[in-house]
Amino acid sequence: MRKIKIIITAFCIFCSQQTFGANYQVTMNDKDSSGNRLVFEKEIINISSGDSVTWLPADKGHNIEMVASPNDLKFSSSPGEEVTITFEVPGIYYYRCTPHKSSGMLGLIIVDNDYSNIEQIKASNAPGRAKIKLNSLLKSLL
Ligand SMILES: [Cu+2]
């Protein structure tokens, strides 16, 4: 009986690791605790493949639009919507808020510490202040 219990426990630990990665939360804010306007609360997140990120609308009017990613992920959420994405492919993902793309409301997700597509991210669309923000975030990675 004890042996069966150990096997079941071991199996469940295995299952949970296989099925559920970690979940990270990022809030979309009009203003963050430091007084910065139109920002994602965590601009850079390092995660592992299989992990998910949930964006929470602390304030309405913000969304998630994937701009560049290793697997050319096409994704755009509705403003004010809570959304969760699971990341399977290693690399850098650059996303932004569509209404505030020129204000530099953007973020990066790095999966498995893989920076191999950094040139793709550098070359991707970033209007106005977004270019300055994107460059400074990319610089902070190196
Ligand atoms: Cu926004």
Side-chain angles (χ1 to χ4, degrees):
M1 190 62 193
R2 191 163 163 258
K3 199 174 178 185
I4 291 170
K5 208 171 172 185
I6 290 167
I7 290 169
I8 290 170
T9 305
F11 182 72
C12 290
I13 289 168
F14 176 75
C15 287
S16 59
Q17 285 177 344
Q18 287 298 103
T19 315
F20 307 108
N23 176 256
Y24 296 80
Q25 297 191 331
V26 177
T27 56
M28 313 185 251
N29 304 294
D30 288 348
K31 197 186 254 186
D32 71 8
S33 52
S34 311
N36 299 308
R37 282 181 36 80
L38 306 172
V39 286
F40 292 103
E41 179 212 358
K42 292 175 201 130
E43 294 182 315
I44 299 176
I45 330 178
N46 288 280
I47 68 172
S48 300
S49 47
D51 290 348
S52 60
V53 177
T54 299
W55 284 270
L56 301 165
D59 297 297
K60 307 287 176 201
H62 306 288
N63 79 332
I64 301 301
E65 175 195 356
M66 200 57 69
V67 183
S69 62
N71 51 346
D72 291 322
L73 188 64
K74 297 282 176 252
F75 184 83
S76 189
S77 68
S78 301
E81 181 186 34
E82 179 182 323
V83 65
T84 299
I85 304 178
T86 301
F87 294 85
E88 303 288 357
V89 180
I92 305 172
Y93 294 72
Y94 156 38
Y95 67 91
R96 67 188 174 196
C97 167
T98 315
H100 305 119
K101 61 184 177 188
S102 299
S103 304
M105 186 168 178
L106 58 89
L108 300 176
I109 294 159
I110 295 128
V111 179
D112 291 341
N113 285 315
D114 185 334
Y115 298 89
S116 57
N117 66 326
I118 194 163
E119 291 305 320
Q120 176 207 9
I121 303 298
K122 275 183 191 167
S124 57
N125 181 278
R129 283 168 54 189
K131 196 77 197 172
I132 298 162
K133 170 73 76 72
L134 182 62
N135 285 340
S136 87
L137 293 186
L138 289 170
K139 216 174 209 176
S140 75
L141 299 178
L142 308 171

